[in-house]
Amino acid sequence: MRLEHVVIVGGGFSGSLLAINLVRHDAVRVTLIERVPERLARGVAYSAAGQCHLLNVRAANMSALPDDPQHFVRWLTARDLGDGGSFVARAVYGRYLGDLLDDARETAGARLAIRTGDVVAVRPGPSAVTIKLAGGSIDADRVVLALGNLPPHAPPGIDAAALSQEQYVADPWSGDWTTGLAADAPVVLLGTGLTAIDVALTLDQTGHRGPIVALSRRGLSPRAHADGQPPAHPRDEKPARALSAMVRAVRNTAADGGWRGAVDGLRPVTQLLWSGADAATRARFLRHLRPWWDVHRHRLSPQVAGRIATMVDRGQLRFAAGKLVAIDPEGTVAWRARGIDRIDRPPASRIVNCTGPQGDLLRSNEPLLRDLVARGLARPDPLRLGLDVDAATQLIGRDGTAQPRIHAIGPMTRGAWWEVVAVPDLRVQAWRLARALTNAHWVGGEGL
């Protein structure tokens, strides 16, 4: 079936990149819908970040175009903003993405339309799919949901409704949460991952000098990139066929060349291993290994790691392992340190939810997602990491059948591929779907 019109819901990184790639193939008309104009092309990650927030991948691997690996490096060097080895500010990367979309709009003319609005429903029919907005509707041949991440869920033990916005920050990317915070005020971060690192950097950038305690069950924090260390090659030339075997392979390779290179060496086969694992194996991986995977896989630039180490060394920042028990209406945090029965109550003028983005559809307040689930057009993946999709990125409905006119890309498809949250993976996913929707994948032999 020849497609004439594709609508993309969500104009962040994944949605904009899909639009850019569709335009490059000069085959379809594209409408890109984004609710927040400031996030167009940049999404939350590259629009809300400050100058202290750097990419955690070197520029050499951050081209938005998988068929042009040096594209971003050329853009950087032309503006004297860095080179292939640089960890540049996320705001700079946002500028790059904005330029890419602007170039696509100029090239495409009327074939690329950008609309601002909230999509509240999608209605597939026999010959088209109707996308309903708050103020109208659009018909298309296909719709692609590029919704990004859902906001953080409130951790167990928190009644967010009983806490004021000054006491509890539900989403650190939703606004300027540092307003009114005294420079010496104690702060508690719920989570010790990348979001907690970003929040700690924000506090440091604003001149905050009060104590910061970051809490999580294991107290693990992201590791740092090592300058100039290449990925290690596995001892066995054949990739492991199971997640458990993958863990053993990583340990063996790490013994030879270090854990950083061992984890990096898995990138070509991670999605293959995940897609081949059954639900029980995936659940065991998430339950027992995900915290270690996250801190080793998604690492910090050396500059950011150095700033965090300085904050720790001077006693301002502490990472702690334990279980959150409760937060009372006065904002006091009660938590139990790992392996200790005693409950501590550290002072907290502000509590920030740093558990990171979530994907459980059944806890989402998004009207579009709620409507899709209620009508049986979508369902959560078995582990509730996001939307259930098939190998062609088509939504899987309540009855287990694929929706041929509704696709999804981006982090909300992590249940199917796991490694689809970082630029190197997202750019390939968008590129492949663009090729499939325009039938360009047959030219390169993909899908044969």
Side-chain angles (χ1 to χ4, degrees):
M1 179 177 66
R2 178 177 174 81
L3 304 183
E4 295 184 0
H5 186 201
V6 175
V7 169
I8 304 168
V9 181
F13 178 85
S14 297
S16 292
L17 200 55
L18 176 61
I20 290 166
N21 279 291
L22 288 170
V23 165
R24 293 173 74 200
H25 290 298
D26 195 21
V28 297
R29 183 164 57 91
V30 181
T31 300
L32 179 64
I33 305 174
E34 170 55 41
R35 65 169 61 156
V36 183
E38 294 76 17
R39 294 180 180 177
L40 189 62
R42 295 159 172 82
V44 175
Y46 308 114
S47 63
Q51 289 301 316
C52 61
H53 300 124
L54 306 183
L55 296 176
N56 57 5
V57 177
R58 291 178 178 86
N61 200 25
M62 288 295 287
S63 170
L65 309 176
D67 55 332
D68 187 357
Q70 293 301 305
H71 189 269
F72 180 47
V73 173
R74 293 198 305 273
W75 184 94
L76 270 183
T77 55
R79 293 158 179 79
D80 293 325
L81 295 173
D83 55 29
S86 302
F87 292 88
V88 301
R90 296 209 297 258
V92 169
Y93 194 68
R95 283 176 52 194
Y96 163 68
L97 298 174
D99 283 357
L100 266 179
L101 185 60
D102 288 344
D103 290 345
R105 296 174 74 175
E106 184 176 347
T107 300
R111 287 194 301 109
L112 174 57
I114 295 179
R115 290 189 58 169
T116 300
D118 272 305
V119 175
V120 296
V122 170
R123 299 286 184 268
S127 60
V129 57
T130 299
I131 298 89
K132 295 182 177 293
L133 291 89
S137 63
I138 305 172
D139 289 335
D141 298 300
R142 300 283 179 94
V143 60
V144 182
L145 308 180
L147 305 179
N149 289 298
L150 297 181
H153 301 322
I158 289 184
D159 181 5
L163 299 169
S164 69
Q165 293 182 354
E166 288 72 26
Q167 293 171 316
Y168 174 63
V169 180
D171 181 1
W173 301 114
S174 62
D176 185 6
W177 54 269
T178 62
T179 301
L181 182 66
D184 59 350
V187 177
V188 171
L189 313 182
L190 304 179
T192 59
L194 290 175
T195 303
I197 297 297
D198 283 344
V199 168
L201 290 173
T202 297
L203 288 168
D204 189 52
Q205 184 76 15
T206 58
H208 186 269
R209 291 296 177 264
I212 305 168
V213 179
L215 307 175
S216 68
R217 287 182 59 195
R218 295 176 177 85
L220 298 173
S221 59
R223 283 19 179 198
H225 280 280
D227 287 328
Q229 181 175 5
H233 297 288
R235 292 179 180 177
D236 189 348
E237 293 183 358
K238 296 181 180 179
R241 295 181 179 272
L243 289 175
S244 56
M246 180 183 76
V247 174
R248 289 194 297 272
V250 169
R251 287 173 176 166
N252 291 337
T253 306
D256 293 339
W259 57 261
R260 293 179 179 87
V263 171
D264 287 346
L266 286 173
R267 175 174 285 280
V269 296
T270 301
Q271 290 188 353
L272 178 65
L273 292 171
W274 182 265
S275 62
D278 58 31
T281 302
R282 294 180 185 181
R284 285 197 301 272
F285 175 86
L286 294 179
R287 187 166 56 250
H288 299 296
L289 296 174
R290 181 177 185 175
W292 282 274
W293 175 266
D294 285 346
V295 299
H296 290 87
R297 177 67 188 84
H298 303 290
R299 301 196 291 274
L300 306 177
S301 69
Q303 300 97 309
V304 167
R307 289 187 63 178
I308 293 298
T310 297
M311 295 178 70
V312 171
D313 290 343
R314 69 182 179 220
Q316 182 188 11
L317 174 62
R318 178 166 66 96
F319 295 96
K323 180 181 180 181
L324 178 68
V325 177
I327 297 177
D328 64 29
E330 285 71 40
T332 300
V333 178
W335 71 288
R336 181 180 293 109
R338 192 176 180 90
I340 299 175
D341 290 334
R342 183 185 72 252
I343 294 179
D344 289 333
R345 290 179 170 82
S349 295
R350 198 148 299 177
I351 303 159
V352 186
N353 184 354
C354 298
T355 54
Q358 302 297 320
D360 189 350
L361 304 187
L362 303 185
R363 297 183 65 181
S364 172
N365 293 320
E366 286 287 339
L368 174 58
L369 291 175
R370 293 175 69 89
D371 184 77
L372 287 168
V373 172
R375 293 180 176 273
L377 298 173
R379 69 182 185 185
D381 67 78
L383 297 171
R384 295 195 180 179
L385 298 174
L387 291 159
D388 203 6
V389 297
D390 67 7
T393 74
Q394 296 173 137
L395 286 196
I396 298 177
R398 181 192 301 139
D399 61 359
T401 60
Q403 307 296 319
R405 293 189 181 275
I406 310 175
H407 297 258
I409 60 171
M412 288 296 286
T413 65
R414 64 168 65 87
W417 292 286
W418 179 242
E419 281 284 271
V420 66
V421 298
V423 166
D425 307 297
L426 292 171
R427 66 187 176 199
V428 172
Q429 187 187 47
W431 182 70
R432 286 177 174 169
L433 180 56
R435 287 169 60 79
L437 292 177
T438 58
N439 288 319
H441 60 307
W442 296 109
V443 176
E446 296 171 37
L448 294 177

